[in-house]
Amino acid sequence: MATSSDFQQMLRGAAMRVTRPRVAVLRAVYAHPHAETDVIIRAVRQELPEVSHQTVYDSLHALTAAGLVRRIQPSGSVARYESRVGDNHHHIVCRSCGVVADVDCAVGEAPCLDASDAQGFTIDEAEVIYWGLCPDCSTATAQGRT
């Protein structure tokens, strides 16, 4: 697990000012992979009870823009944040409970998929979301049929 000094160094490395809210938001994102904003706010408020919603939103936006966290938003879901950045991995989402898990690229490096017609674009990332049922929901569904 990363420490406060690790988070401070990450911020400095991204040419960002080190603030207590930014460090707390980074700690929350690292502690809660694929967390919704409300989960991050609750985690940050355990450390900094006085922090506002807007400060957390602003910190998430700045950290995302700096490439220190990644924002994902599967169809029909609220935005979620994760600390795994820079490797162009994908996600799998349970249709029943909404749990999200990481899935490594199937082939090669970023963008790890080739468009059939890039239409002149220089593609640097591919985003794939797999949908299905997680093991718990699959088991529950199977047990409901018996």
Side-chain angles (χ1 to χ4, degrees), residues 26-144:
L26 274 173
R27 186 183 340 277
V29 171
Y30 272 74
H32 304 281
H34 307 117
E36 300 173 1
T37 308
D38 288 344
V39 171
I40 294 169
I41 290 170
R42 282 194 301 274
V44 169
R45 283 193 169 162
Q46 294 210 351
E47 185 176 340
L48 302 172
E50 73 285 354
V51 76
S52 70
H53 280 72
Q54 191 61 49
T55 297
V56 174
Y57 283 113
D58 291 347
S59 294
L60 285 167
H61 178 76
L63 295 168
T64 300
L68 296 178
V69 301
R70 183 176 177 193
R71 180 185 187 273
I72 62 166
Q73 190 167 7
S75 179
S77 177
V78 297
R80 297 168 180 261
Y81 295 87
E82 65 180 343
S83 58
R84 186 174 169 184
V85 296
D87 69 348
N88 194 210
H89 67 281
H90 307 300
H91 296 93
I92 188 163
V93 180
C94 180
R95 290 184 187 280
S96 181
C97 69
V99 70
V100 178
D102 291 333
V103 177
D104 290 331
C105 284
V107 292
E109 297 184 16
C112 76
L113 296 172
D114 294 319
S116 61
D117 180 1
Q119 300 183 35
F121 282 69
T122 301
I123 299 173
D124 61 10
E125 181 178 357
E127 185 173 318
V128 174
I129 298 179
Y130 300 95
W131 294 88
L133 293 177
C134 69
D136 290 342
C137 292
S138 292
T139 301
T141 300
Q143 289 175 348

